[in-house]
Amino acid sequence: MSSAAANDPVRHPQAAARAIARKLCGLQAAAALLAALPWWLRSAEHALGAAAGGLAVAAGTFILGHRMFAGDAISASRALAGMIVGSLLRWLIIALVVMLAVGWARWPPIAVICGLIFALFVQIYGLRLEAQSQAGAMSG
């Protein structure tokens, strides 16, 4: 089997979806660090808060992708259950990190929320880019 066939999203949709989830998680982690840079001018606490907010989204996306796309061939009911459980875990992780960052670490809430929002915007942009690349791959 050639490497092109192994990466074929039609023949291996779960593997393709896992790859997209990993790529998106990396984009969100990079966005979290990028969001922390301007806050560094204000203070280290602001920068840590922004990084924590964005990394919480990246961690949540990783958990969601792991739960949704586990295994090679799964039934529709198992895929739906994975999506529901993964989404609940994702938002639970994000809420827990935000509560710990603001409540326990006392990092500025505005920085934490800015990092979180920036990572969520990167998710939308990343998924749009992936959809465009998939459409280009199928037409070419």
Side-chain angles (χ1 to χ4, degrees):
M1 180 186 269
S2 70
S3 63
N7 294 329
D8 184 12
V10 174
R11 292 188 182 148
H12 304 284
Q14 293 297 100
R18 281 191 296 270
I20 292 169
R22 281 192 303 270
K23 195 181 303 183
L24 186 58
C25 197
L27 281 173
Q28 287 176 329
L33 299 178
L34 187 63
L37 287 178
W39 288 103
W40 190 261
L41 298 173
R42 177 92 181 201
S43 71
E45 289 80 19
H46 282 79
L48 288 171
L55 290 174
V57 173
T61 299
F62 178 79
I63 295 296
L64 174 61
H66 181 72
R67 294 293 304 181
M68 266 182 79
F69 306 116
D72 286 332
I74 59 174
S75 66
S77 61
R78 186 167 170 216
L80 179 63
M83 183 179 72
I84 292 170
V85 170
S87 292
L88 289 173
L89 286 173
R90 176 187 191 200
W91 288 106
L92 181 68
I93 288 169
I94 291 171
L96 183 64
V97 169
V98 168
M99 287 188 322
L100 287 173
V102 173
W104 180 72
R106 304 271 188 227
W107 292 332
I110 188 72
V112 175
I113 298 301
C114 282
L116 189 140
I117 289 172
F118 192 68
L120 287 173
F121 277 134
V122 166
Q123 174 179 343
I124 294 168
Y125 182 70
L127 288 175
R128 183 172 166 233
L129 284 178
E130 189 61 37
Q132 287 175 348
S133 72
Q134 290 292 330
M138 290 183 168
S139 66

